[in-house]
Structures are given as C-alpha cells and as structure tokens.
C-alpha cells in the first residue's frame, strides 16, 4: 500500500505532479490561472481525503484522471459559459508562431482524442499505459491517436506551409 502521511508527502506530490497537472490543464485550453487553481484544488483534495494507493503508478493514474475530469467539469460549468476571459478583451494580439498553431490545433481536438494525444506524446506514456489511464483498450487508444493525427494533419496543412 502506498499511504499518505504528512508534510513530506505533500512536498513530494507538488514536486512530482505540479508540472504534469499544469500541462494537462493547459492542453485542455484553460488559462494559466485556472490551471494553477485546479492544481491547488487537486493537492487539497488528495491531502484531505487521505487516499491510499497501491503503488506510485496507481497514484499517478489517479492524479491524471482527476486533473482531466476537473478540467472537463470547469469547462462545462455554467459560470464559464457566461464569462469571457480577460485575454479576449485585448485589442491587438501577437501573431502565433508555428508552435502556437500546433498547440491550438491539439486544443481544438475533441476531448477523447486530445487526452490520448497529451498522454501519449506530451507525457510519454505507452499505448497500454494510456489505455489504463483512460479506461479503454490499447486498440482504442491507437485508433484515437490515428484519428487525432489525421485531424491535425488536415487542420495544420495550410498553417505550417
């Protein structure tokens, strides 16, 4: 059993998972402040619930799954649909470079494809590990990655030439 006890576990959690959670939240299209808030919320949820994990992999899978679900919940919230982000109020924005176009295209993917792309390409999980985190078969992950690559190829055809 992999049990939580004390301040050193909290510090280890922040060191180990803060970047992962932030990257996942940003890949869902959240603003940096929202991503940081969700990260902090996950830290508090984990520390107050006193969860017990089988091992480090089980812990990491829970963190990634919880972060993804929290992002989806925030994006679905009624408050978010009625409010415009502050960034939309700017009159002149800097043009996005090629990397910005790729990231924007990944963010525009449907959730099921975006999650697979982020776990496989950004986090470096294998298809089997991605399947375990997402709760689908490895074949489904490979199909989602294939479809996501096709969508990205179509979307980016004109942007990167």
């Amino acid at each position: 059993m992999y049990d939580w006890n004390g301040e050193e576990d909290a510090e280890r959690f922040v060191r180990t998972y803060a970047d992962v959670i932030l990257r996942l939240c940003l890949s869902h299209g959240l603003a940096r402040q929202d991503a940081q808030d969700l990260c902090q919320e996950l830290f508090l949820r984990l520390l107050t619930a006193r969860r017990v994990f089988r091992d480090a992999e089980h812990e990491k899978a829970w963190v990634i799954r919880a972060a993804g679900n929290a992002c989806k919940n925030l994006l679905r919230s009624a408050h978010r649909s009625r409010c415009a982000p502050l960034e939309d109020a700017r009159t002149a924005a800097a043009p996005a470079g090629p990397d910005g176009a790729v990231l924007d295209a990944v963010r525009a993917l449907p959730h099921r494809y975006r999650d697979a792309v982020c776990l496989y390409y950004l986090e470096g999980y294998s298809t089997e590990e991605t399947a375990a985190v997402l709760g689908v078969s490895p074949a489904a992950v490979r199909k989602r990655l294939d479809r996501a690559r096709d969508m990205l190829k179509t979307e980016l055809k004109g942007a990167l030439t």
Side-chain angles (χ1 to χ4, degrees), residues 5 12 19 23 41 49 61 69 72 80 83 89 106 137-138 140 145:
N5 44 350
R12 180 188 57 79
D19 288 339
R23 282 194 309 262
E41 180 183 318
N69 288 339
K72 291 173 191 173
R80 186 163 179 90
C83 296
V106 169
S137 70
L145 291 171

Side-chain angles (χ1 to χ4, degrees), residues 15-37:
R15 280 192 315 272
T16 306
Y17 298 115
D19 288 339
V20 172
I21 294 170
L22 288 174
R23 282 194 309 262
L24 185 63
C25 291
L26 293 173
S27 74
H28 275 79
L30 296 180
R32 180 167 294 284
Q33 295 82 2
D34 289 336
Q36 290 169 340
D37 287 345

Side-chain angles (χ1 to χ4, degrees), residues 64 114-125 130 133-134:
I64 290 172
R114 180 178 37 211
D115 291 346
V117 167
C118 290
L119 290 172
Y120 185 79
Y121 289 107
L122 297 178
E123 296 302 322
Y125 279 92
T130 301
V133 170
L134 295 177

Side-chain angles (χ1 to χ4, degrees), residues 49-63:
R50 311 285 289 164
R51 296 190 183 277
V52 177
F53 299 104
R54 288 188 307 270
D55 54 20
E57 285 302 313
H58 181 226
E59 179 184 76
K60 187 172 185 179
W62 181 89
V63 168

Side-chain angles (χ1 to χ4, degrees), residues 62-113:
W62 181 89
V63 168
I64 290 172
R65 191 85 182 237
N69 288 339
C71 290
K72 291 173 191 173
N73 290 342
L74 181 62
L75 290 170
R76 270 191 242 134
S77 73
H79 172 73
R80 186 163 179 90
S81 65
R82 288 191 305 258
C83 296
L86 186 59
E87 290 82 28
D88 288 350
R90 294 183 182 159
T91 56
D99 290 337
V102 173
L103 187 56
D104 289 342
V106 169
R107 286 181 179 157
L109 290 172
H111 286 291
R112 65 183 328 144
Y113 302 121

